[in-house]
Amino acid sequence: MRSHFGPPPPDRIDKATWRLALSGLVEHPLILTFDDLSKFEEVSVTSVVQCSGNGRAFHRPTVPGVQWERGAVGNARWTGIRLRDLLRRAGLKSNARHLQLQGADRPVAATVPLFVRSIPVEKALHPDTILAYRMNGAPLPLLHGAPLRLIAPGWMADACVKWLTDLTVQEEEATGYYMETAYRHPIRPVRPGDVIAPQDLKPVEAMIVKSLIAQPQQGSTIPSGKVMVQGVAWTGEGRIVRVDVSTDDGQTWEPTRLVGEGAPYAWRQWQFLWQTQGPGPRTILSRATDDRGQVQPMTSPWNPGGFLWNGIDRVQVRIREA
Ligand SMILES: Nc1nc2c(c(=O)[nH]1)N[C@H]1C(S)=C(S)[C@@H](COP(=O)(O)O)O[C@H]1N2
Ligand SMILES: [Mo]
């Protein structure tokens, strides 16, 4: 879970009094109660939600910000209504280009900017983009954005605004710190210290191909013999087609078994039965490939925000004496 300011006070998100306002460049502005949401068709989508700073700690030179390694990502089944259905009910005006999203959470000090984001109308109108009120079949938990959050499948989580209260259709991207300064990524390679022109920084949007090793864990001691290596892999708006592992620090690679059905936007589990020969230290690597031929690189391009890390995952273990 990741929140800039923590959840809103309970009275701001009480289902009995909570309202969702849709205004701006629409024919008919809407104000909806929580019960009004049931008037729209209910849909579900399984999707990864990943912070764009996930893996920031692996960038060299190091980048300020929360030093996430692997944990700022999850995968869940989200249920709610299509954002598109709501926007169509309100009727978009012809100059509608961006949808601004704002939640009920507030910074502790008035001088700290609000968490306000926007997404282009194309993503807002995508049939898989939903306003979710359930997670894995249960009511959306408070810390995941109850009563209602955006799920923009395939996109980085900073678009997935929690505790939603205000949707505003506008011609321009949202202004403010979290859109104009934070979560922007250079469109060409940069070096630490470079001055980057504003037009060379674009908002972080789609996720990129990535895999993680979940077992064995970093620093663990494992038996000599058969060991199950397993993890997950996902990409943005495509599908994972293969995951390879190396147990000799990248000299040789072997394909893993992809588990279950591959669903769009969801992560795919993978397994590899490793016949270890010890004793001694070993380095396990994992490398995912998606259906667009995107392959995880050894390291990701350095950038001042430390975003979009998708370098090949690396876990060091020690094989015990037989
Ligand atoms: N209202 C609101 N929504 C928010 C945030 C926030 O601070 N406030 N943080 C965003 C960021 S940066 C991330 S990574 C995801 C985290 O979602 P999760 O806590 O459900 O994992 O929520 C996003 N939505
Ligand atoms: Mo994030």
Side-chain angles (χ1 to χ4, degrees):
M1 282 174 294
R2 165 70 171 136
S3 304
H4 288 84
F5 325 123
D11 58 301
R12 295 185 63 106
I13 45 169
D14 180 349
K15 276 181 193 167
T17 50
W18 172 90
R19 297 288 182 272
L20 178 69
L22 171 56
S23 62
L25 299 174
V26 292
E27 304 295 343
H28 318 284
L30 302 176
I31 293 179
L32 301 175
T33 66
F34 189 77
D35 289 341
D36 288 336
L37 300 174
S38 63
K39 295 174 186 159
F40 295 86
E41 187 189 345
E42 188 174 87
V43 289
S44 294
V45 59
T46 301
S47 174
V48 168
V49 171
Q50 178 185 208
C51 179
S52 34
N54 196 26
R56 179 181 287 127
F58 301 129
H59 281 287
R60 293 293 174 274
T62 54
V63 175
V66 182
Q67 294 301 298
W68 297 111
E69 293 182 358
R70 301 184 169 78
V73 60
N75 183 72
R77 185 161 180 80
W78 307 96
T79 300
I81 64 169
R82 286 188 200 93
L83 177 55
R84 183 174 79 169
D85 293 350
L86 200 74
L87 295 175
R88 284 191 177 161
R89 175 77 55 95
L92 291 184
K93 293 194 172 167
S94 61
N95 54 342
R97 297 287 175 276
H98 296 272
L99 178 70
Q100 174 175 301
L101 305 116
Q102 198 190 310
D105 54 330
R106 291 290 178 273
V108 275
T111 48
V112 175
L114 297 180
F115 186 78
V116 177
R117 298 278 306 169
S118 66
I119 58 172
V121 281
E122 296 75 36
K123 188 67 178 175
L125 290 172
H126 191 289
D128 296 329
T129 299
I130 68 169
L131 298 172
Y133 44 74
R134 297 179 80 77
M135 179 182 182
N136 293 330
L140 187 62
L142 171 68
L143 295 179
H144 285 297
L148 194 72
R149 81 175 301 175
L150 184 78
I151 294 293
W155 279 29
M156 287 288 178
D158 15 272
C160 301
V161 178
K162 305 192 277 190
W163 309 296
L164 277 174
T165 53
D166 294 276
L167 304 177
T168 316
V169 181
Q170 47 198 46
E171 206 163 339
E172 306 294 335
E173 258 179 23
T175 56
Y177 176 76
Y178 289 100
M179 205 65 203
E180 292 175 294
T181 305
Y183 303 118
R184 294 185 92 85
H185 193 258
I187 55 172
R188 51 186 117 256
V190 297
R191 283 168 311 188
D194 282 357
V195 176
I196 310 172
Q199 66 270 22
D200 287 347
L201 285 166
K202 289 276 173 288
V204 165
E205 293 182 340
M207 292 193 279
I208 52 178
V209 66
K210 184 163 177 175
S211 68
L212 292 177
I213 301 163
Q215 284 290 341
Q217 286 178 22
Q218 168 65 26
S220 57
T221 301
I222 59 174
S224 195
K226 285 191 169 62
V227 170
M228 188 63 94
V229 181
Q230 49 191 336
V232 291
W234 66 94
T235 187
E237 290 159 309
R239 284 177 195 244
I240 290 297
V241 291
R242 64 181 296 153
V243 178
D244 298 287
V245 298
S246 172
T247 53
D248 56 12
D249 207 356
Q251 293 175 57
T252 60
W253 292 86
E254 291 185 77
T256 68
R257 190 172 73 86
L258 299 182
V259 181
E261 277 175 54
Y265 315 119
W267 70 25
R268 190 84 190 263
Q269 295 186 41
W270 54 265
Q271 297 183 329
F272 174 74
L273 193 58
W274 179 23
Q275 185 67 51
T276 69
Q277 302 210 338
R282 295 286 184 281
T283 301
I284 314 173
L285 307 180
S286 74
R287 182 182 68 193
T289 304
D290 71 14
D291 59 354
R292 296 170 186 190
Q294 308 269 13
V295 185
Q296 259 183 285
M298 211 40 144
T299 59
S300 296
W302 187 91
N303 65 91
F307 297 133
L308 298 177
W309 174 268
N310 74 333
I312 284 173
D313 202 28
R314 168 184 293 266
V315 158
Q316 274 143 337
V317 297
R318 176 168 293 277
I319 302 172
R320 203 176 286 134
E321 313 252 349

